[in-house]
Each structure stands twice: as C-alpha cells, then as structure tokens.
Amino acid sequence: MTAIEVRELRRTYTSRTGWLRPRRVVTEAVRGIGFDVGRGELFGLLGPNGAGKTTTIKMLNTLLLPTSGTARVLGHDVAREPVAVRRRIGYVFGGDRGLYERLSALDNLRYFAELYAVEPREQKARIAELLELVGLLGRERERVEGYSRGMRQRLHIARGLLHKPDVLFLDEPSIGVDPVAARDLRRTVADLRADGTTVLLTTHYMAEADELCDRIAVIAGGTIRALGTPEELKSRVQERDILEIEVYGADEAALERLRGLPGVRGVAAEERGAAQSLTVQTDRGADLHGQVLAALDGIRVGRIGSREPTLEDAYVAIVEASGSAAASVPAEEVGA
C-alpha cells in the first residue's frame, strides 16, 4: 500500500529585481517530479543544496502549496485536505530550532503533547516510551540548553513522534552532529522503520543513506534524476575505477583539465583543512595515473589511492550527468 504519491509536482517562485527597470523573475524550484513511497518504507531524497529537497518536503507536509501537480499522503490531498494530512504526519528538521531551551526535555514533550492533542491519560506513558526510544531516559529533567546537538536532535525526533504519526519526514536530522551522535540517530531511525513508521529522509551523508534507505531518489535542478535501491544506484558506477588524490591548491582550471582527459568520467573536490581531496572516476581498467598527474602539473600532490565505487560516487555521477549541481535556475524573465 502506498503512503505517499507524488505526480507532476511543481513549485515556482516569483520575485522582482531592479529598480529603474524592474523585472519579474520566475524560478522553478521543483519541476514536475513524481514518485511513490510504500507503507513502512524508509525512502531517501538526496540532492545538492538548493536542488528542491526541502521544498518538496514542505509541500508534502502542507507548509507550502504546490504550483501544480498533485501529492497525496495516506490518501489525503496535501492541498485540499491539509488538516487530515497534518494529523497523520510528523516533521523533524535539522538544526536547533523548535525546542524551548530553558525548559527541560520532559517539559518540552509535555508542552508539545498538548499542542498535538495527545490524550492527557496517555501522555505520561507515551513520553516515557519516546525518551527510552531516543536514549534520553534519565536525562529528561535537564534543561535543553545544556544538551549536546546530538541530544537535541534525538529530542526533536521524540517531539515529532508524540502523536504516533504514520509518516515521519526527517529533513537532514544529523546535520552538524558528531559521529557518535549520528550513529545513535541512525539506530533510532532504523528502529522507527522496524516499528512500521513510513520515513522520508533527506541527508547529505551518503553512508547514512546507504545504511538506512530502502530506496533513494536523487533530485537535482528540481527534477528526479535517478530512483532505485542503493545497490541499483551503485550499479551505475560499477564499471568505473575511483582515484583519490590529496592535493594542495588545485583551482577550477586544474579540475577542468582533469575532466577533459579521455577516460575520466567525473571529478569532485572536497576541502579538508589545508588540503583538498579529489575523487576522479575513470573507466574500469584505464590506467590514467600518468595523465592525471600531468594534468596536475605545478600543483603539490600528496597521497594517491584507488578504491571501489560507493553510493557517494554514484550520487556524484548522477548529479554531474544532470548538468546542474546547483538548484533551481530562473525559468522565465518578464518585463515589468
């Protein structure tokens, strides 16, 4: 049975620029996407910053109206039946907003239980159950202002589950969380799926998506570029080799030289302190070490290694193939 149905969903924004000659600029944030999420499924929505992930989630949980298209959550239309949708869903977002820091975790949950209309006779047992689920039992009487970021995120999840939602939206819940806390969050999310909760997760952490998600959709430039299980997405780059190169001071011109080499299928750079980590995807069996080093002539090179492709490599390949690692672009400009 389907928990979420999305058909040709679009969202555009209109803004005005200029003063003497103002223009109306129409930006398409989401461009006719479609997908289904089954009951009890943990579904990942991945994409670069501004790709349309959060806009999509906000339309699905009724915080934004679609410009066109349809979306249904548990059979209810998000535009025409927002109250019915809100009764059945929970929404947890990354960051520190949404909690009262000078209250204890227990008082926060009591307050939100009232807002969510949880029956008074059920509140005590429900709060205790959730505190145990997210690993905060024994710390619930401490003020939230003394909590670590990981503890706050776990409290966010408890808050979002107070009214026993059938569908839970997790929008980058582990952002800024240390590795130990992130591991605890992943365990909590996995427990939710095991209990039958449908979860739609957005994240920038590919290992997290690979570990948790039953299926993944990759969105870039406001459209769905790929959809499948983590293994199906990884199969797109199984015929590639991966070179990892530590460099210092590589500029965009050097990256373009690498991308122009025959046999190179993709190049990504990540800042790591004073160094950069270059990930170069090449055709399987192509020995391009010499050509790659020649393209980096004049740039200090550290360690060089090779490895098997991962979900992150598949994600990079999908986004680069889309021709847009950035998000929505102006679709139309109209004179005032």
Side-chain angles (χ1 to χ4, degrees), residues 288-307:
L288 299 180
H289 286 71
Q291 294 94 315
V292 167
L293 290 176
L296 295 172
D297 186 41
I299 296 170
R300 181 184 164 196
V301 176
R303 294 185 299 273
I304 302 176
S306 59
R307 59 169 174 78

Side-chain angles (χ1 to χ4, degrees), residues 1 5 17 65 84 92 139 146 161 249 265 270 279 303:
M1 191 172 179
E5 304 171 41
T17 63
L65 281 172
V92 177
R139 307 286 301 271
L161 292 170
R265 304 291 294 276
E270 180 183 353
T279 302
R303 294 185 299 273

Side-chain angles (χ1 to χ4, degrees), residues 225-274:
R225 304 293 180 171
L227 193 155
T229 67
E231 292 305 317
E232 288 170 342
L233 296 187
K234 284 186 279 189
S235 70
R236 294 175 170 236
V237 291
Q238 287 306 306
E239 295 305 315
R240 302 186 184 186
D241 289 328
I242 309 296
L243 291 178
E244 284 191 327
I245 309 167
E246 182 184 65
V247 298
Y248 297 83
D251 55 15
E252 188 60 34
L255 301 184
E256 288 302 319
R257 289 198 298 272
L258 289 174
R259 294 186 179 106
L261 291 176
V264 170
R265 304 291 294 276
V267 178
E270 180 183 353
E271 299 291 335
R272 292 186 178 174

Side-chain angles (χ1 to χ4, degrees), residues 6 33-37 41-48 51-54 56-57 60 199-204 206 209-210 213-220 222-233 236 311 314-315 318-319:
V6 177
I33 65 172
F35 59 86
D36 293 332
V37 180
E41 184 176 17
L42 205 161
F43 187 88
L45 188 61
L46 309 183
K53 302 186 301 298
T54 298
T56 299
I57 281 188
L60 294 179
V199 180
L200 193 154
L201 168 73
T202 74
T203 180
H204 283 298
M206 297 300 114
D210 196 3
C213 295
D214 298 309
R215 289 188 303 140
I216 293 170
V218 179
I219 184 171
T223 63
I224 301 294
R225 304 293 180 171
L227 193 155
T229 67
E231 292 305 317
E232 288 170 342
L233 296 187
R236 294 175 170 236
L311 179 62
Y315 166 81
I318 292 165
V319 171

